Amino acid sequence: MTNKKKIISLILVLCLLVALGVSYALWTTSDSQSDNNELTTDDCIDIVFEDKSSNITLTDTVPVLDKFGMQKAGYSFKITNNCTKNVSYDVNLESLSNVAEENRTNLNYVKVALIEKSSNETYAFNTLNNFDTTNSVLASGTAYDTRVILRDVLRPNKSVEYTLKMWMDESTPNSEQNKTYNSQITIYGTLTNSYNAVEYLTELAKTNTNEMYYDGASYTDPDTNELVVDNNLRYMGANPNNYVWFNNEPWRIIGVMNNVKGSSTDDGSGETRIKLIRAESLGEFPYIDSCADEYWTDNGDGTYTCSSKRYNNNWPNSTINSLLNDLYWNRKNHESYHGWVFKNGTWQDYLTEKIEFKKDGLRTSDKSLIGNAVYYLGGYTKQSENNYYDLNMNTSKWYEAERINQGNNNELTWIGNLGLMYPSDYSYASKYILSDDCKNISLYSWAESFNNKCKNNDWLYNSVFWEWTITPRADSNVSYAHQSGGYIRNSDYGTIASFSIHPVLYLKKNVEMASGDGSRTNPYRLTIEEGV
């Protein structure tokens, strides 16, 4: 491997010659597929679309709830890779132009679900407008819109079967009556080689010096009193090409981390593994559910009151840990959590909406790429008069405190699958972290206008939301958050405040890079040999 462009060796365009239609007339709809279509390409790629003996007629007089839409019949197809290489493929839905523009159904109201048959897991679930756009592979003018429903990798001598379902979303307004939606499934694939992902990124870093660097991070091991030099390889800058398509959604590579402990293959010395963070937030949640039910009162006017709040920054017992490593990991739903949010100019008690991960939690196939790891739960102890920050805590001091500064009777480490980022992950992502302007100043000082270049050139900076980190404060029951102003501080309302969360994970060391260039439109795709 000398050049990342060698990943892609042959491009195949596979079209299922099947038209799918959703046409509304007085709130009725029908869609059909009448022929058994089979396409064989290059003698080693097979696609079969199952025959349906008759049209599927939806008899509802109004758009349906999702639970009824998921019960409807769908369109099933099977992809088989008889080749000796991986196939990186896209399942696209092309909106056909054979309906006059004024009569076309708005894509905001066409609900799509894609179910993988062997696991019965939903791989895609959304209204069509929320999927990524891509280029059509049909003849020019045939489609007016093309959406990527699924991006995935199929290893040699493997098959996968899907069922695609469509219905009109329950939010569809009366203005959509008597409009029509026709579409066609197309599958776009590339035959690819694959390379060990750690080795691939390490090689890439030799030439991609504008986006990748070694951080020089180190700390003194509290057990041995010896210096541990991690010197992790990280992505930096405002928007580097570090996107990965994982769980059929965009994630980003924090870096290639050294001395990662905790996996079943680790001999105790640690491994070099890739660390990912979900590109989009899962929502806003309290670090700890702030109120027991017996202390919670619904005021009946959209507000709530908790008469006895609780605080705890011990990650193993936290609400977020349970949410990530139980609900999100196992694709489960949950009714609600109690927390505090900033609404209408003030902090107030709040009950989250129902949490639903049954359709968009982690897929079984993606969980096989994740290895559990040690997450450090150290934090800093207040060394200044201010209760929320310390002006002495620059990035290197944070990195060490995260790993050695145990406090508040909490454990120093936790082994698991999903966590949150560290404060140091945030600051090490800045393009200027190695310059004195950013390296030697407190992360609280990143809020100052004269330090704007630190945060504005940091791809983990979010100017809209507060975001939880995994890191507690070692001398109290609060935890640290990345504030929307670009700095790190502990929450005014301890661990009961509802802040944004972005799950973090470590890939297994033998995960492979199958295709992509790391851009948002062509993210890296990952695979792993079964049984390894």
Side-chain angles (χ1 to χ4, degrees):
M1 178 192 62
T2 59
N3 191 306
K4 65 180 179 181
K5 292 183 180 178
K6 288 187 176 180
I7 283 182
I8 298 177
S9 56
L10 177 64
I11 295 178
L12 310 173
V13 178
L14 313 175
C15 296
L16 292 179
L17 304 179
V18 180
L20 310 181
V22 178
S23 178
Y24 266 79
L26 300 178
W27 298 118
T28 62
T29 184
S30 64
D31 42 8
S32 64
Q33 194 276 318
S34 56
D35 298 318
N36 185 358
N37 296 280
E38 180 171 352
L39 178 65
T40 301
T41 303
D42 200 40
D43 296 326
C44 65
I45 304 293
D46 295 327
I47 298 179
V48 176
F49 199 103
E50 292 183 2
D51 182 34
K52 295 189 182 296
S53 58
S54 61
N55 290 355
I56 303 171
T57 302
L58 307 179
T59 59
D60 305 86
T61 58
V62 295
V64 297
L65 297 171
D66 292 339
K67 65 178 180 180
F68 298 122
M70 290 293 288
Q71 294 171 9
K72 296 181 181 298
Y75 308 88
S76 297
F77 56 97
K78 180 178 181 179
I79 307 171
T80 301
N81 179 11
N82 295 316
C83 306
T84 58
K85 295 183 178 183
N86 297 319
V87 173
S88 292
Y89 64 94
D90 295 350
V91 176
N92 300 331
L93 199 58
E94 309 242 17
S95 301
L96 302 180
S97 303
N98 56 0
V99 177
E101 185 173 353
E102 63 272 15
N103 295 327
R104 295 172 187 167
T105 302
N106 191 315
L107 302 186
N108 293 2
Y109 307 116
V110 178
K111 202 64 163 285
V112 175
L114 187 70
I115 298 94
E116 197 275 323
K117 279 194 171 182
S118 65
S119 64
N120 198 35
E121 290 181 345
T122 302
Y123 276 20
F125 183 87
N126 218 325
T127 51
L128 201 53
N129 63 298
N130 284 310
F131 292 99
D132 284 353
T133 59
T134 190
N135 294 325
S136 173
V137 298
L138 302 176
S140 178
T142 303
Y144 65 89
D145 184 271
T146 305
R147 303 285 171 155
V148 184
I149 306 302
L150 175 73
R151 295 181 173 101
D152 219 328
V153 178
L154 188 61
R155 294 190 69 89
N157 302 311
K158 298 293 179 182
S159 296
V160 63
E161 293 184 69
Y162 297 108
T163 297
L164 185 141
K165 301 185 179 187
M166 289 193 303
W167 63 95
M168 297 304 293
D169 186 70
E170 61 178 303
S171 65
T172 307
N174 291 341
S175 59
E176 292 301 304
Q177 292 187 42
N178 299 311
K179 292 188 177 182
T180 300
Y181 175 71
N182 289 330
S183 65
Q184 181 170 323
I185 296 174
T186 60
I187 297 177
Y188 179 87
T190 62
L191 285 176
T192 68
N193 296 311
S194 58
Y195 303 95
N196 179 273
V198 169
E199 295 176 1
Y200 178 79
L201 293 178
T202 302
E203 184 72 16
L204 179 64
K206 295 178 181 179
T207 55
N208 190 17
T209 55
N210 288 329
E211 297 183 333
M212 306 175 76
Y213 79 106
Y214 288 91
D215 62 16
S218 65
Y219 66 98
T220 300
D221 189 300
D223 295 324
T224 65
N225 204 34
E226 295 180 353
L227 182 68
V228 178
V229 179
D230 288 334
N231 196 26
N232 308 294
L233 175 62
R234 295 183 185 264
Y235 276 92
M236 63 177 176
N239 189 28
N241 291 303
N242 61 343
Y243 282 95
V244 172
W245 203 251
F246 186 83
N247 201 45
N248 199 33
E249 61 191 7
W251 289 58
R252 302 189 80 167
I253 302 170
I254 291 178
V256 180
M257 318 306 285
N258 294 317
N259 303 317
V260 179
K261 299 180 180 181
S263 76
S264 59
T265 58
D266 177 21
D267 61 6
S269 60
E271 301 172 335
T272 298
R273 293 164 60 186
I274 294 172
K275 187 176 186 180
L276 302 184
I277 186 169
R278 193 175 189 264
E280 299 175 0
S281 170
L282 276 182
E284 292 182 291
F285 302 96
Y287 200 93
I288 185 77
D289 195 322
S290 66
C291 194
D293 288 338
E294 60 265 30
Y295 298 114
W296 187 258
T297 302
D298 184 345
N299 299 323
D301 58 358
T303 65
Y304 303 86
T305 302
C306 179
S307 59
S308 180
K309 295 182 173 65
R310 54 190 175 192
Y311 302 84
N312 192 312
N313 64 359
N314 188 16
W315 170 258
N317 299 328
S318 70
T319 295
I320 298 177
N321 180 18
S322 174
L323 185 146
L324 293 180
N325 290 286
D326 182 19
L327 303 183
Y328 185 60
W329 182 268
N330 294 308
R331 289 189 156 224
K332 293 161 61 175
N333 295 340
H334 191 274
E335 286 303 317
S336 61
Y337 288 117
H338 311 95
W340 265 41
V341 296
F342 193 76
K343 295 180 66 176
N344 302 321
T346 183
W347 285 92
Q348 56 186 267
D349 290 306
Y350 179 72
L351 192 67
T352 65
E353 296 179 359
K354 183 177 180 179
I355 301 160
E356 298 187 356
F357 291 136
K358 188 170 181 63
K359 297 183 180 69
D360 55 5
L362 288 175
R363 304 184 303 181
T364 299
S365 58
D366 290 284
K367 288 192 287 189
S368 69
L369 277 63
I370 301 171
N372 62 7
V374 168
Y375 288 83
Y376 294 96
L377 306 178
Y380 98 90
T381 301
K382 186 181 74 168
Q383 301 172 17
S384 69
E385 293 301 317
N386 192 289
N387 199 40
Y388 304 115
Y389 59 86
D390 196 304
L391 293 177
N392 295 316
M393 292 297 292
N394 62 20
T395 298
S396 61
K397 290 181 179 179
W398 269 109
Y399 190 86
E400 183 167 54
E402 293 157 2
R403 286 153 181 79
I404 71 171
N405 198 11
Q406 183 177 0
N408 206 35
N409 296 317
N410 293 341
E411 296 294 326
L412 182 58
T413 61
W414 170 80
I415 297 178
N417 292 308
L418 301 174
L420 300 175
M421 71 174 178
Y422 301 117
S424 62
D425 284 330
Y426 164 63
S427 53
Y428 274 128
S430 174
K431 182 176 180 64
Y432 296 102
I433 191 57
L434 297 183
S435 69
D436 290 342
D437 292 344
C438 301
K439 178 175 67 174
N440 296 328
I441 63 172
S442 162
L443 297 194
Y444 181 80
S445 298
W446 282 32
E448 304 293 340
S449 59
F450 58 84
N451 293 322
N452 276 346
K453 75 174 186 178
C454 302
K455 63 183 180 184
N456 290 341
N457 291 280
D458 187 323
W459 62 271
L460 283 172
Y461 168 52
N462 189 319
S463 62
V464 179
F465 300 106
W466 282 62
E467 179 176 351
W468 282 120
T469 72
I470 199 172
T471 302
R473 185 164 142 181
D475 61 347
S476 71
N477 275 320
V478 298
S479 290
Y480 284 94
H482 158 216
Q483 208 263 1
S484 56
Y487 55 95
I488 297 290
R489 59 168 291 178
N490 62 254
S491 163
D492 293 359
Y493 291 95
T495 52
I496 67 173
S498 291
F499 295 155
S500 175
I501 63 170
H502 290 71
V504 161
L505 60 85
Y506 291 89
L507 297 173
K508 293 177 179 177
K509 65 179 181 180
N510 54 334
V511 167
E512 297 174 345
M513 202 80 80
S515 63
D517 59 15
S519 64
R520 178 60 180 83
T521 55
N522 187 23
Y524 292 122
R525 303 192 198 191
L526 306 174
T527 184
I528 193 170
E529 185 177 349
E530 288 186 8
V532 177

